[in-house]
Amino acid sequence: MNAPDSEAGKGLKVLEAGADAAGRRLDQWLATALGGDFSRNRVQALIRQGAVQVGGNVVTEAKRKMAAGESVSVETPEPEPAEPRGENIPLDILYEDVDLIVINKPAGLVVHPGAGNWTGTLVNALIHHCGESLSGIGGVKRPGIVHRLDKETSGVMVVAKTDLAHRALSEAFADHGASGDLERAYQALVWGIPPRMTGTVDAPLGRAADRVRRAVVPETRDDARHAITHFTVLEKFAEGRTDTVQAALVECRLETGRTHQIRVHMAHIGHPVIGDPDYGQAFRTKANRLPEPLKDKVKSFSRQALHAGLLAFRHPATHIELKFEAPMPGDMEEIVGGFRNL
């Protein structure tokens, strides 16, 4: 197989099929021949659009069988502009190169545009910041979101800037570190002190009755999704005391990555995240037993005290292991400090 002819013209790649191509599907062979620059789905789309020629003739069937020695040309269009508009929103950038960007997301920032949040999101900020360095995800100049943090959860996120990085990172997040190439750790301030220093919550998640939140559900339910969270108690607050409320700072590591997983699992074992408006409402009155000024600080803390403090992964292009940590944000650190001083 010859390398693509880079002199063949703007957006045009020309390749020659070697002996190993004989009998293979056009889309399968071409995805490999392009060196991973395009996913197989993207190659199939190009074929359907008439952008692929074999021996000078347009071919629109992805399953067409290849023969050795055939010349294949691919017209690759310029990536389309992203639909969301770029916005000049400040970003706390921990690392950036041609393939990806790592940021420390603040609480209150929505990751992706959606109903009620079409502007002011992380995606809007990244489109503005990255500009022309976005080479296109699936043919569109947009940042590749491979994992998300809830709006009110702060911490480390990685975002792909190329199709290759997007696919590699998506695969790493899909198996949640089973291959050893991904590590994620969250810090959660929870009500009460778990009876064990370490533990595992293995409970499937599905939609709650309101169809918006998540809940632990029987594994036989159609929407049940396998979910496992490992936790370690880092600090205990007011342990053994009866004159105030106990709490704990817990590290959570995900074996799966379901929506609201940590928040639902910690509430399920009786230790909801402090400030959680969706899964900790039944515990909000506990703040009344705290001394001032901690009492007022906790009662006015309107988000979950959850922070993605650590993210480690293998770089999709260099294969170097990268590790990033972000300090706990000031508002959450202030609450934790108040519990330390009980």
Side-chain angles (χ1 to χ4, degrees):
M1 180 195 308
N2 293 334
D5 182 359
S6 59
E7 301 298 320
K10 182 179 179 180
L12 182 67
K13 297 180 183 293
V14 180
L15 309 99
E16 183 177 333
D20 61 334
R24 297 181 66 189
R25 285 174 54 120
L26 173 60
D27 60 340
Q28 181 187 40
W29 175 81
L30 191 53
T32 302
L34 289 171
D37 290 340
F38 296 89
S39 67
R40 190 166 171 181
N41 285 341
R42 179 66 174 139
V43 168
Q44 290 172 345
L46 291 173
I47 293 172
R48 288 193 301 270
Q49 294 163 11
V52 177
Q53 296 185 20
V54 180
N57 298 313
V58 174
V59 176
T60 56
E61 287 194 18
K63 63 182 180 181
R64 178 198 184 277
K65 299 298 183 182
M66 293 291 297
E70 288 186 309
S71 176
V72 180
S73 61
V74 185
E75 184 71 37
T76 56
E78 289 294 321
E80 300 173 7
E83 290 184 8
R85 294 177 179 269
E87 297 178 46
N88 188 9
I89 300 170
L91 292 172
D92 182 1
I93 299 171
L94 304 180
Y95 174 84
E96 183 177 9
D97 61 23
V98 297
D99 299 293
L100 53 86
I101 182 170
V102 181
I103 62 116
N104 178 19
K105 188 189 87 68
L109 182 63
V110 175
V111 171
H112 203 281
N117 293 288
W118 293 111
T119 61
T121 73
L122 175 61
V123 166
N124 296 112
L126 289 170
I127 289 173
H128 173 84
H129 171 79
C130 297
E132 291 303 311
S133 66
L134 294 174
S135 68
I137 308 296
V140 179
K141 280 189 174 181
R142 60 183 170 87
I145 304 299
V146 296
H147 69 122
R148 302 190 186 198
L149 296 178
D150 295 337
K151 175 183 177 181
E152 300 298 348
T153 297
S154 57
V156 189
M157 281 188 64
V158 59
V159 179
K161 296 167 65 175
T162 68
D163 218 356
L164 177 63
H166 184 246
R167 283 184 282 118
L169 289 171
S170 293
E171 290 174 2
F173 277 88
D175 75 1
H176 305 286
S179 63
D181 290 339
L182 180 71
E183 182 182 6
R184 286 187 289 173
Y186 295 72
Q187 295 166 311
L189 180 64
V190 303
W191 289 114
I193 300 174
R196 300 184 306 278
M197 291 297 291
T198 61
T200 296
V201 185
D202 184 349
L205 301 183
R207 289 194 178 276
D210 60 12
R211 309 296 295 172
V212 176
R213 294 179 298 168
R214 296 299 188 272
V216 171
V217 300
E219 60 181 13
T220 54
R221 244 178 58 169
D222 290 342
D223 67 333
R225 296 293 180 266
H226 185 53
I228 297 179
T229 303
H230 304 284
F231 69 86
T232 300
V233 177
L234 301 177
E235 294 184 64
K236 301 177 182 180
F237 305 120
E239 184 180 20
R241 290 174 55 179
T242 58
D243 61 324
T244 187
V245 182
Q246 297 180 343
L249 183 63
V250 176
E251 180 185 84
C252 294
R253 292 180 178 252
L254 301 178
E255 190 171 317
T256 57
R258 308 303 178 194
T259 301
H260 299 176
Q261 180 174 315
I262 291 174
R263 298 164 61 190
V264 178
H265 272 174
M266 295 311 295
H268 178 65
I269 63 172
H271 300 285
V273 178
I274 289 178
D276 194 325
D278 296 315
Y279 306 103
Q281 283 287 3
F283 284 70
R284 290 191 70 85
T285 57
K286 285 184 175 292
N288 293 327
R289 296 181 55 205
L290 293 170
E292 296 289 3
L294 181 58
K295 173 184 173 180
D296 282 344
K297 289 179 180 178
V298 171
K299 293 184 73 171
S300 63
F301 194 74
S302 59
R303 69 176 184 89
Q304 62 268 10
L306 181 63
H307 175 66
L310 180 148
L311 176 64
F313 57 91
R314 190 176 299 278
H315 193 286
T318 66
H319 305 297
I320 295 174
E321 292 185 1
L322 302 176
K323 184 176 183 178
F324 302 96
E325 295 183 73
M328 192 181 296
D331 61 343
M332 183 172 165
E333 181 65 49
E334 185 177 15
I335 298 292
V336 171
F339 276 99
R340 286 193 181 114
N341 292 327
L342 284 177

